[in-house]
Amino acid sequence: MSLLNLLRLSLTLFVALLCAVPSPAAGKKDTHDFDPFTAGIEENIKTPAVPEKLKERVAAAMTKLQNTLANAGYKVEKVRDGEVVMVTIEASKLFGANSTELREKASSVLMPLVPYVRRTDNYKVVLAVHSDDTGDVRYADSLTADRASAIDGFITSKTGGGESGIIPYGLGFDEPVAPNSGIRNRAANRRVEFYFIPTAEFISKVKK
């Protein structure tokens, strides 16, 4: 083998070995590439993560939102170690049975949330619509997806016609909070949830 060919072979092997060595960042998620509108709901609720040293401060700051929404008459609780505020609304307050059109009175139920949905610099808002197990999977998925779209459309219309900032999910009957037996339990499973998740901007404000 000529010296030139030997050098070429050595260079080829070196490049191959170099490419095989994993980058220090390999396997790590780039949060700048995170797309909330293609991510699953669980991943969205977990993102962005709060640094350990700021967890207590963020949870305390989110308590203010929790109290404000509770005082407005909503059923409110904190999830994700107190960092996320969840509002739960009975589906019957917004929709008639098997309907995907908002009731007339739905406006008064949803309007108090609009100012906080607008604050997209502070909160990422995830909307989850659930059903009981009446009907088949396809029907439940379609019903809840259409209801999520109707809520998103209403709030968009109240935020100046721009994007509402809501990330909607129709989850069918996959996540019941009670056994699907009896009127009361089924009503509990037919629900709408708003998750207010602190954004990176909000976390930065808390840090200062």
Side-chain angles (χ1 to χ4, degrees), residues 47-207:
T47 309
V50 177
E52 191 66 35
K53 62 183 180 181
L54 294 177
K55 283 181 174 293
E56 288 188 12
R57 290 166 68 178
V58 169
M62 292 299 287
T63 297
K64 296 179 182 179
L65 177 63
Q66 178 189 23
N67 292 338
T68 298
L69 294 177
N71 289 336
Y74 292 108
K75 178 184 176 182
V76 188
E77 60 186 294
K78 291 170 79 178
V79 297
R80 209 186 83 176
D81 297 326
E83 299 164 1
V84 172
V85 170
M86 181 179 75
V87 170
T88 302
I89 302 171
E90 294 177 13
S92 61
K93 291 183 177 180
L94 302 177
F95 300 96
N98 301 311
S99 175
T100 59
E101 294 186 8
L102 287 166
R103 294 180 182 273
E104 288 187 13
K105 67 177 183 180
S107 176
S108 61
V109 178
L110 293 172
M111 279 302 296
L113 293 175
V114 171
Y116 304 99
V117 175
R118 276 197 188 123
R119 296 298 302 274
T120 53
D121 57 329
N122 280 347
Y123 315 116
K124 178 175 71 172
V125 183
V126 168
L127 168 65
V129 181
H130 304 264
S131 70
D132 62 22
D133 68 350
T134 303
D136 61 22
V137 172
R138 182 177 299 178
Y139 172 76
D141 289 347
S142 175
L143 177 72
T144 54
D146 288 346
R147 286 181 169 183
S149 180
I151 296 169
D152 185 26
F154 171 83
I155 292 181
T156 295
S157 72
K158 302 302 179 183
T159 54
E163 295 292 333
S164 69
I166 287 177
I167 304 162
Y169 293 90
L171 298 179
F173 52 68
D174 288 341
E175 299 182 7
V177 292
N180 275 298
S181 59
I183 295 175
R184 184 172 296 181
N185 284 347
R186 289 185 179 277
N189 289 332
R190 297 190 300 270
R191 67 198 190 278
V192 173
E193 296 168 338
F194 286 86
Y195 293 85
F196 291 87
I197 302 154
T199 61
E201 290 84 355
F202 183 84
I203 296 169
S204 294
K205 291 176 186 177
V206 171
K207 183 179 180 180

